Amino acid sequence: QQQVKQSPQSLIVQKGGIPIINCAYENTAFDYFPWYQQFPGKGPALLIAIRPDVSEKKEGRFTISFNKSAKQFSLHIMDSQPGDSATYFCAAVSTSGTYKYIFGTGTRLKVLA
Amino acid sequence: DVKVTQSSRYLVKRTGEKVFLECVQDMDHENMFWYRQDPGLGLRLIYFSYDVKMKEKGDIPEGYSVSREKKERFSLILESASTNQTSMYLCASSSPHGGRNTEAFFGQGTRLTVV
């Protein structure tokens, strides 16, 4: 019940394409859903996050779609660029407890020039 | 600029050695985490600390222990290193408050090789 399932494991798109990464969770106590971006040799860094009181959040070219009833959320990258090539992790947090982060297994994205 | 600093980027240790991985944060965060990152397995939580001297086991605590004697420092200890502990280790910290402060900040990682 603590797991966060992430797919796909890897993704290759052409420049300008819209990669979509999906995550699903079981524990309804989760109420904060961040996405982290990791470049080679670096630690993950927060990209965008959403709380379940909204169904969508946009920040620049990055959009999170959230489906509370299905317990699923996804990351869309509009007009993807080669510089977006990185590993992306979704996470789920219960903010009523100790704020422990549970991460998905990661998606390695490659955007071709 | 907020920082989570891990003491080593690369470490090579021998099987059976006791290994210490150190992490320091300068944000006065209550929460600190140790994750292990392996290809295809994502970030797996080893241990979590929500206050000084307080700790909670994560998903894969076997073979590891932790120490948090001061708020800013969280140490991961491999009691007797084994080759299956060869991995990237990531430390993170966060504050248990709402809003933007919920963000977890990561260190740059320590790549440990056990030979």
Side-chain angles (χ1 to χ4, degrees):
Chain A
Q1 204 178 19
Q2 286 292 317
Q3 283 187 327
V4 176
K5 295 182 180 179
Q6 183 173 347
S7 63
Q9 188 170 353
S10 64
L11 194 52
I12 300 175
V13 300
Q14 295 287 337
K15 179 182 173 182
I18 305 176
I20 300 172
I21 305 170
N22 300 298
C23 284
Y25 64 97
E26 289 294 324
N27 189 345
T28 54
F30 292 140
D31 58 355
Y32 175 70
F33 302 90
W35 284 89
Y36 278 75
Q37 180 187 53
Q38 184 184 30
F39 293 106
K42 302 285 188 182
L46 180 65
L47 182 64
I48 184 173
I50 195 168
R51 291 192 181 267
D53 52 342
V54 296
S55 60
E56 186 176 277
K57 183 173 182 180
K58 288 184 180 181
E59 285 188 6
R61 295 183 294 105
F62 300 92
T63 299
I64 301 177
S65 297
F66 187 83
N67 185 329
K68 188 174 181 178
S69 61
K71 291 184 281 187
Q72 295 175 347
F73 57 110
S74 59
L75 177 70
H76 302 232
I77 305 176
M78 305 301 179
D79 187 26
S80 59
Q81 301 297 314
D84 297 329
S85 297
T87 299
Y88 293 82
F89 294 96
C90 64
V93 185
S94 170
T95 61
S96 60
T98 50
Y99 282 66
K100 188 165 63 174
Y101 276 65
I102 306 297
F103 283 90
T105 50
T107 297
R108 182 175 287 186
L109 171 67
K110 186 174 179 66
V111 181
L112 302 175
Chain B
D1 202 15
V2 296
K3 269 193 177 173
V4 177
T5 303
Q6 294 181 231
S7 54
S8 304
R9 290 297 303 272
Y10 301 95
L11 274 179
V12 180
K13 296 292 182 180
R14 294 196 180 276
T15 300
E17 274 193 79
K18 191 168 185 176
V19 181
F20 293 85
L21 302 183
E22 307 286 346
C23 176
V24 177
Q25 52 98 359
D26 64 0
M27 294 164 283
D28 201 36
H29 283 165
E30 289 83 354
N31 294 343
M32 295 189 76
F33 310 81
W34 275 106
Y35 290 92
R36 173 175 169 162
Q37 182 175 11
D38 299 289
L41 297 177
L43 299 170
R44 293 182 292 168
L45 183 64
I46 304 172
Y47 266 99
F48 164 54
S49 171
Y50 50 92
D51 203 348
V52 174
K53 296 187 189 285
M54 305 304 288
K55 62 186 178 185
E56 186 176 304
K57 291 181 180 179
D59 298 321
I60 51 165
E62 296 78 20
Y64 303 95
S65 62
V66 291
S67 173
R68 190 151 180 220
E69 297 296 320
K70 293 185 177 181
K71 191 176 186 180
E72 67 271 18
R73 187 179 297 269
F74 191 33
S75 303
L76 179 69
I77 303 155
L78 286 66
E79 298 291 343
S80 177
S82 65
T83 55
N84 64 12
Q85 292 178 310
T86 291
S87 187
M88 171 69 84
Y89 290 88
L90 287 160
C91 174
S93 73
S94 72
S95 177
H97 303 298
R100 187 69 179 169
N101 289 337
T102 307
E103 178 177 353
F105 295 86
F106 281 84
Q108 77 278 25
T110 296
R111 184 163 293 282
L112 173 67
T113 302
V114 182
V115 298

